[in-house]
Structures are given as C-alpha cells and as structure tokens.
Amino acid sequence: MAKALPGFEDFNRRVRPPFGSRLKQPAREPVLLTPSGRAEFSAAEPPDVPSADDGVLVLQTMRSHDQWNTAIYSDDDRYRGVKNLRTPILMNAEDTRARGIGESALVDIESTSEDGTRRRLRGYRALRYDLPRGSAAGYMPEMNVLIGAADYSAQSDQPLMKNVRVRVVPSAQG
C-alpha cells in the first residue's frame, strides 16, 4: 500500500501508536482548490412547479429510519411516526381533502414518464403529514416503479427521485 497509495508512506510504523494515525482527507483540510482559494457557490434554476389547479403533486422518494440504502431492517419509521407500513404516501392535509381522500385511506398513484409510459402503484396508504401543499413523499425502493428510465435530471444525469410528478386518487381497491 505504501508504494501504491499517497498518504500510506511508512504506514506500518505510523499505525502502531495507541490511536493509530490520521490519513489526509482533502474534504477535511482547510484548502480549497478553486481559482480564488475560497468556497465558490452557484445556484441551479429550480424545476418548474406544477400548478395546484392541475391536480399534480411533486413526489420525492426517501429512506425510512430503519433503512440503509435499499436494505430495509423494519417497517417502522420513527422519524415520521410511521409504524409497520412500507407503503404510505405522505401528503399535505389540504391536498388529501381536495382529492376526497380520508386519513389512512387507500390511494392509487400514477406518474407519466418522459417516454410517455404510465406507471402506477395501487393500494398505498395516504397519511397526512406536514408537507408543503402540492408535494408528497414516499419510500424508495417501493416507489421507484414511478420513475422511468427517461426520467433523469439534465443537470446531474441522476434519476428524478426528488421530482416525480404524480396524480393521487382514491383507490379502486376501496
């Protein structure tokens, strides 16, 4: 390792003290490799927000408390007070009322991918949550089906997991 990786010179001797040694980590050092030598920020234009009148919500997918990446360790989410449920959609209370959706009612969720395909989830639980009007949230990977291969950010080339336009209606399942 000493021959191949910068920072590992004389490694075997340096790791012997009781607390080991510290490797250099550029993110931790107060040196910024920018033309000015200081932090430089830029702002991206925010995405278009749908009008509340057209019935579309902007859905973000997220992880629950007991989840690491896509490994799910329990169906509880103590961050948001959700117990024994992996299929909620968190919505603003006014948005649920405007759609005739009661608390904990079953709903169907539909998105339309940039490639024109319609994608659906059926029988999710609508939970009222303190979110801005016009937005919603739910867990990944369960909601990933709403995101098509064509749905990615032109700026970052990443899937639009925080900007999925959906329609939520009372479920046909009752």
Side-chain angles (χ1 to χ4, degrees):
M1 285 179 23
K3 291 178 182 176
L5 298 172
F8 280 85
E9 299 82 11
D10 199 23
F11 180 75
N12 287 327
R13 182 193 58 75
R14 291 186 310 152
V15 296
R16 301 275 181 248
F19 298 107
S21 67
R22 181 174 159 239
L23 294 175
K24 286 189 113 185
Q25 292 180 327
R28 185 165 48 188
E29 307 300 324
V31 176
L32 298 172
L33 303 176
T34 61
S36 68
R38 301 177 62 153
E40 296 178 4
F41 298 94
S42 64
E45 287 294 317
D48 292 332
V49 177
S51 163
D53 297 337
D54 67 7
V56 172
L57 299 175
V58 177
L59 173 82
Q60 69 159 326
T61 63
M62 60 191 179
R63 294 178 182 100
S64 66
H65 171 260
D66 285 340
Q67 183 174 348
W68 178 258
N69 291 329
T70 56
I72 299 159
Y73 296 101
S74 87
D75 290 343
D76 295 339
D77 183 355
R78 72 175 175 172
Y79 292 151
R80 297 168 192 94
V82 176
K83 300 278 188 206
N84 199 34
L85 184 64
R86 286 294 304 173
T87 56
I89 181 167
L90 307 179
M91 296 174 62
N92 175 285
E94 290 180 45
D95 288 330
T96 60
R97 283 192 285 276
R99 290 162 177 76
I101 298 169
E103 175 66 11
S104 295
L106 291 177
V107 295
D108 296 338
I109 307 162
E110 181 179 283
S111 69
T112 303
S113 176
E114 290 292 324
D115 65 11
T117 60
R118 293 202 172 188
R119 308 167 93 55
R120 291 181 186 85
L121 289 171
R122 299 188 192 283
Y124 270 57
R125 289 267 172 215
L127 302 180
R128 292 181 179 149
Y129 198 77
D130 185 16
L131 290 172
R133 187 119 200 246
S135 63
Y139 301 133
M140 59 83 71
E142 290 86 351
M143 287 196 165
N144 287 359
V145 69
L146 295 170
I147 305 163
D151 301 332
Y152 61 89
S153 167
Q155 292 172 320
S156 67
D157 207 27
Q158 298 297 308
L160 290 176
M161 297 167 50
K162 304 294 183 205
N163 189 14
V164 184
R165 290 153 199 271
V166 297
R167 293 187 183 276
V168 181
V169 298
S171 181
Q173 296 179 12

